[in-house]
Amino acid sequence: MQQQQHRAFSFRRVAAIASITLTELTRLRVFYVLLIFALVLIGSSMFMARMTFQQEFQVLKDISLGAMSLFTSILAIVGTARLLPQDVDDRAVYTILAKPVPRFEYIAGKLGGVLSLLAISMLVMTALFCAVLFARQQAVLAATAHQMTGLPPQELSDALANVRASTFNSSLLPAILLVYIKAAIVASLTLFISTFATSTIFTIVVAVFVYFIGHLQATARAFWLSEHGGGWASRTFLAVVALLFPDLQLFDGVDHLVAGTAIPMALFVKTAALGCFYVVIYLLLATAVFSGKEL
Amino acid sequence: MSELAVSVVGMSKVYPVPFSRRAVVAVRELNLAIASGEVYGLLGPNGSGKSTTLKMILGLVPPSRGRAEIFGRASSDVASRESVGFLPESPYFPKYLTGTETLRFYGKLCGLRGERLRARVGELLELVGLASAADRRLSGYSKGMLQRIGLAQALVNEPRLLVLDEPTAGVDPAGSRDIRDLILRLKERGTTVLLSSHLLEQVQEVCDRVGILANGVLVREGRVEELLAVENQTELILENAPAELLMQIAALASTSGARLVEQRKPQTTLERLFLEATQPEDSSKRRTSNAEHRRSD
């Protein structure tokens, strides 16, 4: 066979590994269980106690975004933690790395598979969430129109517009994207941990630990700065802590969503860029550790 | 001298023991030179360092000292693996994939795509005798079939060097014979084969040269016939020889100062007996004739 010039990086090789990783992950029962959980949670929000429609939509969004964030994070940790140890244990890694595949591509392909799974999960959950929201919106619109029968058309029109504005607003998409980026950070962090962890359980425990620390980091940072001031030593220390424990609270756009205010575009872009930076850093760290690993 | 497919110089592998000053030496000062087109067998008991040696040659494990090259390129260089195929011991492949999907995946890793990939996958399935099971999931494959799909993935890039770690482990005699026949066919095409095994008869049958590892040290190396020959003895195999002739030969031997050590009927092997008893007549005849053909070589 005519030998091709070897490419230091090939997107096709990464895509092939990502594709097989995704196929492997979709066969995990946990994936379906999590989806069912999400379905149940979002569905149950339809049967909440009587509230005004504004409150109802706010709670529905709050619960749904919270559930999406929680389930995608769990999926990211559980799905990623076993990928590398399993490949090493059953020697599948040898057949892949014995081909002209650099270790960076192998790691990137594995992460690509997890990110694809998270994207599919997010799409399904978003579609479900939007369907529930739309159904409730239609029900409230019908009820409002029924209650306001006989009132001036302008008043009815304002009331209906008010209902519509309370359901779908401009914060919805950015908030959902931030949930995805947060899950991507958690997945890449878990992949990094799994490159040096001694067992899958250890990886999961450490990733969950970092996940919780990541949510408390902002509060702890504010407390630290108030106690120790903002000197360079403090700032360096906080930068290291921020690298080890990403501030995951930044990626919760629920507050804006619930309040009905738009997430400023500059803030969204900055937060998304920070998320991508974390993903790339953890990917590079994972590659560095995995490259020195004895297989 | 022909081009070297594998060159190993002063290669050692030492594994430190955690929390201890001791270290485990898996391979010690190994030197190997395998010519292109050769079939080389690496023998040794369990734990002798065969698999570690193969992994270092493939660049999967870095040596503690020394170096390994494949066709003149450092094995740590990823590009050196373009000309290599590897079948690890007891390989795992995703059970939910079909034979075709498995080979397509490995083909993509080697840069194949489109019609070229499709044709190569079909060719390999034919070569390893799995064309009829191409669309069946690997969960339904027998151990022998899995080993053959493993061999096919190792061949997907038409490698110049094929590295096989215990290629017939857990495979029945018929499957084992198929794998040996395949190795011989690849040898005819000029592919270099480096295999590790502790099935000595099998190695003897296919390898040009062997090296014996014990405790990480290469204790013997050479051409199979040279290593196995008993220098001061000669073997004659006669067909339809009458008893008088045998007596005359024995007498002649004693008058010339030689000693007739043993006179017996040659025996078939248990493997050949097994194959003749379990295979359809046509294929057992073909196998016998293949074996005889090899012996005449």
Side-chain angles (χ1 to χ4, degrees):
Chain A
M1 181 182 285
Q2 193 187 349
Q3 292 288 335
Q4 295 177 334
Q5 184 67 33
H6 180 259
R7 289 183 186 172
F9 179 81
S10 161
F11 182 75
R12 284 177 195 279
R13 290 194 294 253
V14 175
I17 296 169
S19 161
I20 207 151
T21 305
L22 175 63
T23 315
E24 191 182 337
L25 285 169
T26 51
R27 298 181 65 80
L28 284 177
R29 284 183 186 166
V30 66
F31 174 59
Y32 301 107
V33 169
L34 288 174
L35 270 181
I36 293 166
F37 265 94
L39 279 169
V40 169
L41 202 66
I42 293 171
S44 68
S45 64
M46 293 172 67
F47 304 104
M48 62 188 70
R50 285 282 164 209
M51 299 171 179
T52 64
F53 70 84
Q54 287 96 340
Q55 286 172 328
E56 184 186 333
F57 292 146
Q58 282 172 1
V59 174
L60 183 59
K61 287 176 195 172
D62 195 5
I63 289 178
S64 302
L65 261 287
M68 278 187 201
S69 176
L70 182 66
F71 287 130
T72 48
S73 296
I74 293 174
L75 198 57
I77 292 174
V78 175
T80 314
R82 60 199 290 279
L83 286 178
L84 296 188
Q86 188 179 314
D87 266 14
V88 173
D89 283 351
D90 56 29
R91 303 164 199 226
V93 69
Y94 297 140
T95 53
I96 295 173
L97 293 180
K99 304 284 181 218
V101 177
R103 293 197 182 191
F104 170 72
E105 288 182 6
Y106 174 75
I107 292 285
K110 288 285 168 191
L111 184 62
V114 178
L115 296 187
S116 307
L117 176 85
L118 293 174
I120 293 169
S121 312
M122 282 300 295
L123 279 175
V124 172
M125 285 195 269
T126 303
L128 205 70
F129 166 58
C130 288
V132 170
L133 201 57
F134 182 73
R136 289 305 303 148
Q137 183 197 52
Q138 293 306 306
V140 173
L141 285 174
T144 307
H146 181 71
Q147 283 166 7
M148 297 183 77
T149 312
L151 290 176
Q154 184 57 43
E155 211 169 312
L156 176 63
S157 172
D158 288 348
L160 295 180
N162 199 12
V163 172
R164 288 194 185 95
S166 300
T167 46
F168 295 97
N169 58 42
S170 57
S171 281
L172 204 55
L173 186 62
I176 290 170
L177 285 174
L178 288 180
V179 168
Y180 176 73
I181 291 170
K182 183 168 118 177
I185 295 172
V186 173
S188 59
L189 174 68
T190 308
L191 190 68
F192 167 53
I193 296 168
S194 75
T195 55
F196 58 81
T198 47
S199 71
T200 304
I201 294 295
F202 178 83
T203 303
I204 292 174
V205 169
V206 173
V208 169
F209 176 73
V210 175
Y211 179 81
F212 282 115
I213 298 280
H215 279 92
L216 299 173
Q217 204 231 82
T219 316
R221 185 176 51 210
F223 178 74
W224 174 275
L225 285 173
S226 69
E227 290 285 308
H228 296 85
W232 66 270
S234 283
R235 289 186 181 281
T236 308
F237 173 72
L238 288 173
V240 172
V241 171
L243 183 66
L244 294 174
F245 305 102
D247 184 358
L248 296 175
Q249 227 171 8
L250 282 175
F251 302 92
D252 287 334
V254 177
D255 293 344
H256 285 280
L257 195 62
V258 171
T261 55
I263 298 176
M265 183 50 79
L267 176 66
F268 171 73
V269 170
K270 197 175 154 188
T271 312
L274 181 68
C276 295
F277 171 76
Y278 270 122
V279 171
V280 171
I281 287 291
Y282 288 134
L283 175 65
L284 294 176
L285 286 173
T287 305
V289 176
F290 189 69
S291 297
K293 201 176 170 80
E294 302 271 357
L295 295 174
Chain B
M1 189 178 174
S2 62
E3 183 190 16
L4 284 182
V6 176
S7 166
V8 172
V9 181
M11 194 169 72
S12 298
K13 184 66 193 177
V14 181
Y15 290 104
V17 177
F19 311 113
S20 166
R21 289 183 179 177
R22 288 175 51 238
V24 175
V25 181
V27 177
R28 193 189 297 269
E29 292 296 320
L30 182 68
N31 294 295
L32 278 181
I34 302 172
S36 182
E38 197 173 26
V39 179
Y40 189 97
L42 204 53
L43 307 177
N46 291 336
S48 58
K50 301 189 299 288
S51 293
T52 306
T53 299
L54 296 186
K55 284 182 202 166
M56 286 195 287
I57 289 172
L58 289 161
L60 295 174
V61 169
S64 306
R65 280 189 299 277
R67 65 174 199 277
E69 289 178 356
I70 295 171
F71 294 108
R73 300 180 92 150
S75 57
S76 55
D77 180 0
V78 175
S80 71
R81 283 164 228 159
E82 282 193 319
S83 46
V84 181
F86 176 49
L87 174 65
E89 185 184 1
S90 308
Y92 169 88
F93 302 105
K95 296 281 184 285
Y96 48 84
L97 295 181
T98 65
T100 302
E101 287 166 346
T102 305
L103 296 185
R104 284 185 64 81
F105 167 64
Y106 286 101
K108 284 178 190 171
L109 294 184
C110 295
L112 301 180
R113 58 179 192 263
E115 180 54 31
R116 196 167 166 219
L117 175 61
R118 199 192 61 76
R120 183 66 186 148
V121 167
E123 209 175 285
L124 283 169
L125 287 166
E126 284 289 340
L127 182 75
V128 298
L130 289 174
S132 58
D135 298 322
R136 211 193 298 168
R137 287 186 192 280
L138 299 195
S139 54
Y141 276 29
S142 67
K143 172 80 185 165
M145 290 164 87
L146 285 172
Q147 202 71 359
R148 278 187 278 161
I149 204 76
L151 205 48
Q153 68 75 26
L155 292 168
V156 75
N157 53 339
E158 290 191 43
R160 294 163 68 201
L161 169 66
L162 184 63
V163 180
L164 309 171
D165 193 0
E166 302 286 357
T168 54
V171 180
D172 70 16
S176 180
R177 167 63 69 180
D178 287 340
I179 290 173
R180 269 180 287 177
D181 286 347
L182 188 59
I183 292 172
L184 290 167
R185 285 212 296 278
L186 291 168
K187 183 188 171 185
E188 281 169 15
R189 291 187 195 175
T191 306
T192 310
V193 182
L194 167 59
L195 65 95
S196 87
S197 180
H198 45 229
L199 297 177
L200 306 180
E201 190 189 347
Q202 181 186 95
V203 171
Q204 183 181 340
E205 206 170 353
V206 296
C207 291
D208 299 314
R209 282 198 307 142
V210 295
I212 302 174
L213 277 175
N215 296 320
V217 179
L218 190 69
V219 290
R220 287 283 182 85
E221 191 190 34
R223 297 197 70 78
V224 175
E225 59 270 28
E226 287 166 7
L227 289 175
L228 298 182
V230 180
E231 284 302 321
N232 64 345
Q233 292 187 1
T234 306
E235 194 174 55
L236 290 176
I237 296 177
L238 304 174
E239 198 170 47
N240 301 326
E244 300 80 50
L245 176 62
L246 297 177
M247 286 168 65
Q248 282 174 10
I249 291 172
L252 195 60
S254 65
T255 55
S256 62
R259 185 170 70 90
L260 182 65
V261 178
E262 189 183 6
Q263 182 184 320
R264 63 180 171 86
K265 298 269 184 207
Q267 291 185 322
T268 185
T269 62
L270 198 54
E271 183 200 77
R272 198 169 299 152
L273 186 70
F274 173 91
L275 292 171
E276 282 168 5
T278 56
Q279 299 290 308
E281 202 172 321
D282 285 354
S283 62
S284 68
K285 270 183 189 168
R286 197 171 59 241
R287 286 177 204 287
T288 309
S289 88
N290 279 346
E292 281 169 359
H293 173 69
R294 277 197 299 279
R295 197 192 296 165
S296 69
D297 290 343

